[in-house]
């Protein structure tokens, strides 16, 4: 079980973060390749993919802060603290922000909406595949149900 891929002094590279980043890059590469095959400008596809990833991260973090607003209203400096930046986000906030950004970009650049969705759909699954691998590599446990993976409790 390898929760840290590399460790040098105080610096470490978490396996989970590395696998998700790798999944995002592979997903973008697949999406751009598919876009080229469908006649969509690859530069616009890269820009769309990067915009969607960044807006997803920001949207997830914004909804995270909104959900815990009572804490952040009392201490506004906590919004920009290291602990808040290292904390996760709320999936639905990221999803809404990513879809809104994608819709805006596709419309602004006159990209074919359905063709763009077709091109990006296979690549969008790659970060989730990296997350599933993370569960196994970092100490996940198997289940009698073949498609289910869980985490062990740390003591």
């Amino acid at each position: 079980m390898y929760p840290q891929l590399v460790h040098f002094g105080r610096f470490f590279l978490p396996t989970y973060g590395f696998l998700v980043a790798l999944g995002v890059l592979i997903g973008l590469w697949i999406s751009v390749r598919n876009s080229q095959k469908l006649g969509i400008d690859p530069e616009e596809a890269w820009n769309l993919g990067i915009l969607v990833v960044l807006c997803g991260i920001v949207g997830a973090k914004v909804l995270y802060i909104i959900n815990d607003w009572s804490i952040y209203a009392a201490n506004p400096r906590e919004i920009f603290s290291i602990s808040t930046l290292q904390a996760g986000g709320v999936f639905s906030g990221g999803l809404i922000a990513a879809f809104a950004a994608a819709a805006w970009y596709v419309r602004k650049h006159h990209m074919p909406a359905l063709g763009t969705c077709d091109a990006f759909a296979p690549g969008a699954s790659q970060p989730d595949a990296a997350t599933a691998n993370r569960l196994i590599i970092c100490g996940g446990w198997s289940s009698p149900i073949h498609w289910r993976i869980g985490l062990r409790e740390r003591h």
Side-chain angles (χ1 to χ4, degrees):
M1 309 319 163
Y2 304 99
Q4 296 177 353
L5 195 60
V6 177
H7 192 97
F8 296 111
R10 294 182 62 186
F11 171 79
F12 67 91
L13 179 62
T15 303
Y16 174 74
F18 175 77
L19 289 175
V20 170
L22 184 64
V24 167
L25 291 174
I26 291 171
L28 283 173
W29 178 73
I30 290 169
S31 299
V32 170
R33 238 178 107 224
N34 289 342
S35 296
Q36 280 180 306
K37 290 177 184 177
L38 294 173
I40 298 169
D41 180 19
E43 187 172 326
E44 284 185 353
W46 272 112
N47 292 340
L48 172 62
I50 292 169
L51 175 72
V52 165
V53 168
L54 293 177
C55 287
I57 292 168
V58 170
K61 191 61 73 176
V62 166
L63 193 54
Y64 175 82
I65 291 168
I66 290 170
N67 282 343
D68 290 334
W69 184 246
S70 59
I71 295 168
Y72 294 110
N75 300 316
R77 295 179 120 193
E78 280 295 309
I79 293 173
F80 301 105
S81 70
I82 295 295
S83 62
T84 300
L85 293 175
Q86 288 179 336
V90 177
F91 176 80
S92 55
L95 187 66
I96 291 167
F99 274 135
W104 170 80
Y105 190 88
V106 165
R107 185 171 180 159
K108 181 179 185 225
H109 292 273
H110 308 289
M111 296 171 72
L114 294 178
T116 304
C117 289
D118 285 343
F120 275 76
S125 67
Q126 295 308 307
D128 288 335
T131 300
N133 288 331
R134 178 262 181 193
L135 291 174
I136 295 166
I137 292 170
C138 297
W141 48 267
S142 61
S143 165
I145 303 170
H146 71 279
W147 47 264
R148 182 172 175 234
I149 299 173
L151 291 175
R152 295 182 195 157
E153 286 188 35
R154 292 189 179 195
H155 298 285

